[in-house]
Amino acid sequence: MTLLEIMRSASVIPVIAIDDPDHAVPLARALVAGGIRVLEVTLRTEHGLGAIRAMSQVEGAIVGVGTLTQPEEFAASRDAGAVFGVSPGLTQSLIDAAKSSGLPLLPGVMTPSEVMAAREQGFRQLKLFPAVPAGGVGMLNAIGGPLPDVTFCPTGGISIETAPAFLACKNVACVGGSWLTPKDAIAAGDWGRITELAKAAAALRA
């Protein structure tokens, strides 16, 4: 699947931080059971790569890696099973690492100038981050005029209540959010609750 195909197959991409490696597989299964197949596992904890390795074995899961900030993380994440990467911003070293590793990258941008700079480097799929502070729906609609060939996954400050407005934008393929994986539900092993949250998120596409 191309990066754009991955984005279009998801209404919401959950942003996941794994604190306990034993939670990785049941969490992935709960999300997939609810219709959320594209999972972004961040490297914000020491268990990130291990979680990617475990979750990528879950049937139906499309696992990516988030919070890529160092060039060496690209090959390690790819080898762990990630099929796409997400970064909060874009630097030349990250561009080089993405190209050398072959890992499709969804880089973060916040301003029109950053969108244009990423576009010049060949990136047509971008993450508006942080989406709400960056201007939210208004910013996306404004950028869509002069740069109609760029597709976004806005992330940062989006909730189940505000997601529909973002998904209604012509240049938005999906949104990123952390509300699908509340820490208290994960800690309690309440996978049924997470599946229900996933079902509600998957229904936003309709």
Side-chain angles (χ1 to χ4, degrees):
M1 298 177 73
T2 66
L3 182 55
L4 185 57
E5 288 171 340
I6 290 172
M7 292 169 66
R8 285 179 172 165
S9 71
S11 52
V12 181
I13 299 178
V15 180
I16 301 167
I18 295 294
D19 295 310
D20 183 338
D22 290 339
H23 292 155
V25 169
L27 176 59
R29 287 174 175 164
L31 290 165
V32 171
I36 296 296
R37 299 175 56 222
V38 182
L39 315 177
E40 177 191 334
V41 181
T42 72
L43 297 181
R44 297 175 188 173
T45 75
E46 61 181 311
H47 304 297
L49 287 177
I52 291 168
R53 192 172 292 108
M55 287 178 160
S56 64
Q57 301 303 310
V58 173
E59 185 176 357
I62 301 170
V63 182
V65 56
T67 324
L68 288 169
T69 60
Q70 303 295 328
E72 61 270 18
E73 295 169 340
F74 282 74
S77 299
R78 178 203 62 204
D79 293 345
V83 296
F84 69 96
V86 185
S87 64
L90 187 63
T91 65
Q92 189 59 52
S93 63
L94 296 186
I95 293 170
D96 294 341
K99 291 179 178 178
S100 64
S101 70
L103 189 68
L105 177 64
L106 182 69
V109 294
M110 187 176 182
T111 68
S113 291
E114 291 176 359
V115 174
M116 293 175 67
R119 187 170 172 269
E120 285 182 2
Q121 292 289 339
F123 295 94
R124 292 291 190 276
Q125 291 81 48
L126 304 174
K127 176 176 81 164
L128 182 67
F129 177 80
V132 173
V137 169
M139 174 67 84
L140 288 161
N141 288 332
I143 290 175
L147 300 168
D149 59 338
V150 178
T151 305
F152 292 91
C153 173
T155 306
I158 299 174
S159 66
I160 185 70
E161 292 81 16
T162 60
F166 282 91
L167 291 169
C169 297
K170 293 181 179 179
N171 53 355
V172 169
C174 58
V175 302
S178 57
W179 80 85
L180 289 172
T181 55
K183 287 186 176 295
D184 61 338
I186 294 175
D190 191 352
W191 311 122
R193 178 183 167 196
I194 288 174
T195 293
E196 290 306 310
L197 291 170
K199 287 179 179 178
L204 293 175
R205 175 62 68 197

